[in-house]
Every structure is written in structure tokens, then in C-alpha cells.
């Protein structure tokens, strides 16, 4: 049975209950989310052929420190980097390294800053140079699926409505939704309840109520949905080596819809849209 709890009285651990946050909490999430968004904005001009994902990781760390924030992934469950960088057929949790990006690559950069105790969690796709049209289309479909999921995030709907909005669109575009990973509650905790599946049936799942805060982060494959995790214990890749893309926002349910905490102040929520003249 699903239970909801006032976030102000809830212990700082995942208890399986769903926290309902207040206006001051939403303000804190907005500040953290905007810092993450500004970092992702600043990366747009830095994602070019020849740059390494370790250089990207170094930038994310330094940007956070300059703004009194720390990356949530750093030393999280043994993870040693400040961001995740997932290239081409990597679905998520790609580990930054010294290999340079190549012209035509697509890469997801996933950043979460902790600012004043709040977690601003977001990710975007970036095109490196000029990708092929199939890669561009995958990115376009994935971004649109995120927007459709967000549009379904309103009080009285369910988590199944979010998943259905994403899945029905993606599959109509002859792509597939990854089942192995999902969105999650966020706030004072990095990962909390509820889980947000990116597939589902209308009306099923957990009822959305004002005060809930969570991420929506669909992972979409050009081929089949199946993935595997490599021997490093983190990097997830498509089993058929097809391209994969992901976008993510942190949102809070309001009385009439939802607030997106991680919107780009520069209008670069989909940087890949600005590749072609």
C-alpha cells in the first residue's frame, strides 16, 4: 500500500513512503536545479571533437565547487567521478575517461549538484560535430518523449500515465524504451520513492499529488530495449549495439501541473537541436 508523508517530519532515508514537500522545499529544489542547468548550458560549447569525457568531468567538478555545491555522484556507492558521460550505444552511467570524443558522436551528460542539501538532477544529449541523421532523429524522439512525460505529470494522474505518454510515442516512432532503469524521487535524498517507469498503462501505478518531487528521464534505443551492464559495474550498454539517448528533468507536482526545476535559463534544454544551421 502506498503511503504519503509530510517531508518535514520524514526521516532522512528512503522509507518507502512518498514525501510531500512544501513551497520552501520547492524553492530549494529550484536553486539546486538551476545550478545544474547552468552547468549543462556551459557545457554546450565545450562538447566538441577531441575533448575527453574526463575534461568534461573536471569542468563539472570545478563548476560546482565555484558555486558552493558538490556533485552527488562523487563517491556515491564507490563511483569516483563527478558526472556520467554516456556515448552512442551507452545507455547510462558511462564513466568519464581520457578517450576523446569523435565527430558524429552523441553523448549524454548527467549532472546532479547538491546545493544547501537539495539535489538538482538533470541530463541532456549533446551532438559532437555533425552526427548522422539516424542519431539526430533518436535525440529528437527522446527529447519529445520527455516533454510528453512531463505533460502527463499533474495531480490526479498516475505514474502509469507518465510511462504511457512516453512509451506510446516512442514505439510509434519505431524506437524502444529501456525498462532496466527508471526515474526516481529526489529532494533531500539523491534517490527516493517513487520510481518513475518510462512505460506503463494509463491509470495504473501511484497517484500523483501536489508536493511530490521526482525525476523523469527516459532512455530510448534506436534498436531493441535490452541492455547489459559491463564488468565495471556501472556502464550500461545496448545489447544490440544500437544507439541510445536520454534526457532528464527534476520536477515537482503543483496544484495545477508540475514545476520543472532544471529548465535551461539559456533555452538549451536540447542542445542537439542547435547543431544544424
Amino acid at each position: 500500500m502506498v503511503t504519503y508523508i509530510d517531508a518535514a517530519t520524514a526521516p532522512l532515508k528512503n522509507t518507502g513512503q512518498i514525501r510531500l514537500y512544501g513551497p520552501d522545499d520547492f524553492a530549494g529544489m529550484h536553486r539546486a536545479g538551476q545550478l545544474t542547468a547552468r552547468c549543462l548550458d556551459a557545457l554546450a560549447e565545450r562538447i566538441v571533437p577531441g575533448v575527453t569525457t574526463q575534461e568534461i568531468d573536471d569542468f563539472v567538478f570545478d563548476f560546482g565547487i565555484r558555486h558552493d555545491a558538490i556533485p552527488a555522484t562523487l563517491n556515491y556507492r564507490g563511483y569516483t567521478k563527478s558526472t556520467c558521460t554516456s556515448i552512442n550505444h551507452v545507455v547510462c552511467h558511462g564513466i568519464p575517461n581520457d578517450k576523446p570524443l569523435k565527430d558524429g558522436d552523441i553523448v549524454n551528460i548527467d549532472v546532479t549538484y547538491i546545493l544547501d542539501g537539495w539535489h538538482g538532477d538533470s541530463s541532456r544529449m549533446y551532438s559532437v560535430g555533425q552526427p548522422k541523421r539516424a542519431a539526430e532523429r533518436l535525440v529528437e524522439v527522446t527529447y519529445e518523449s520527455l516533454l510528453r512525460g512531463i505533460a502527463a505529470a499533474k495531480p490526479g494522474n498516475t505514474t502509469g500515465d507518465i510511462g504511457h505518454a512516453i512509451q506510446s510515442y516512442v514505439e510509434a516512432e519505431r524506437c524502444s524504451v529501456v525498462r532496466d532503469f527508471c526515474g526516481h524521487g529526489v529532494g533531500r535524498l539523491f534517490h527516493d520513492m517513487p520510481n518513475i517507469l518510462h512505460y506503463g498503462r494509463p491509470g495504473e501505478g501511484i497517484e500523483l499529488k501536489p508536493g511530490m518531487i521526482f525525476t523523469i528521464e527516459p532512455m530510448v534505443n534506436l534498436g531493441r530495449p535490452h541492455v547489459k551492464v559491463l564488468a565495471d559495474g556501472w556502464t550500461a550498454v545496448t545489447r544490440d549495439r544500437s544507439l541510445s539517448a536520454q534526457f532528464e528533468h527534476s520536477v515537482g507536482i503543483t496544484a495545477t501541473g508540475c514545476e520543472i526545476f532544471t529548465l535551461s535559463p539559456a533555452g538549451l534544454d536540447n542542445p542537439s537541436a542547435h547543431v544544424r544551421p
Side-chain angles (χ1 to χ4, degrees):
M1 179 178 177
V2 177
T3 58
Y4 301 82
I5 188 171
D6 183 347
T9 63
L12 198 59
K13 63 180 180 180
N14 189 337
T15 63
Q17 299 167 301
I18 297 176
R19 298 166 202 268
L20 300 179
Y21 292 93
D24 289 345
D25 303 325
F26 271 50
M29 280 297 294
H30 179 80
R31 290 191 297 272
Q34 283 300 287
L35 180 61
T36 296
R38 285 162 49 203
C39 176
L40 292 171
D41 284 352
L43 283 172
E45 63 182 13
R46 292 171 168 80
I47 308 301
V48 295
V51 72
T52 69
T53 49
Q54 183 57 56
E55 289 172 328
I56 295 168
D57 193 73
D58 292 340
F59 176 84
V60 170
F61 177 80
D62 292 341
F63 188 95
I65 295 302
R66 292 199 308 272
H67 294 89
D68 301 317
I70 59 173
T73 58
L74 189 59
N75 299 318
Y76 179 78
R77 296 182 178 178
Y79 191 78
T80 60
K81 302 295 181 176
S82 298
T83 187
C84 296
T85 51
S86 302
I87 307 167
N88 295 334
H89 71 288
V90 178
V91 175
C92 61
H93 303 156
I95 303 173
N97 58 34
D98 292 326
K99 184 178 179 180
L101 295 174
K102 304 186 302 297
D103 182 73
D105 285 342
I106 56 172
V107 56
N108 177 272
I109 310 295
D110 193 340
V111 175
T112 305
Y113 282 128
I114 307 173
L115 180 66
D116 299 327
W118 296 100
H119 291 72
D121 190 357
S122 185
S123 80
R124 298 181 197 166
M125 293 300 299
Y126 299 83
S127 295
V128 185
Q130 185 58 65
K132 293 181 178 179
R133 178 56 191 152
E136 288 184 321
R137 177 178 170 274
L138 174 64
V139 171
E140 291 166 1
V141 168
T142 306
Y143 183 66
E144 177 63 22
S145 78
L146 172 66
L147 297 183
R148 292 181 181 228
I150 290 172
K154 54 187 177 183
N157 274 5
T158 67
T159 53
D161 291 319
I162 296 174
H164 176 73
I166 293 168
Q167 180 186 10
S168 59
Y169 170 73
V170 166
E171 293 179 353
E173 293 294 325
R174 302 183 304 282
C175 297
S176 62
V177 177
V178 171
R179 267 72 164 171
D180 298 69
F181 302 96
C182 62
H184 53 86
V186 70
R188 289 286 185 183
L189 297 177
F190 191 3
H191 294 98
D192 201 4
M193 291 295 290
N195 290 329
I196 305 297
L197 304 181
H198 303 117
Y199 59 95
R201 297 178 180 176
E204 293 189 349
I206 296 169
E207 181 183 355
L208 304 179
K209 295 188 176 185
M212 292 173 64
I213 295 177
F214 50 81
T215 70
I216 303 175
E217 47 184 296
M219 286 148 272
V220 177
N221 295 347
L222 199 55
R224 297 177 65 82
H226 310 106
V227 309
K228 65 178 179 180
V229 177
L230 301 184
D232 60 30
W234 289 102
T235 308
V237 301
T238 55
R239 283 190 174 272
D240 61 7
R241 304 286 289 186
S242 64
L243 292 175
S244 187
Q246 179 188 20
F247 283 93
E248 175 185 15
H249 274 312
S250 294
V251 305
I253 301 297
T254 67
T256 57
C258 74
E259 177 180 351
I260 306 172
F261 300 119
T262 46
L263 275 178
S264 163
L268 295 175
D269 293 293
N270 181 6
S272 296
H274 302 272
V275 173
R276 290 189 184 275

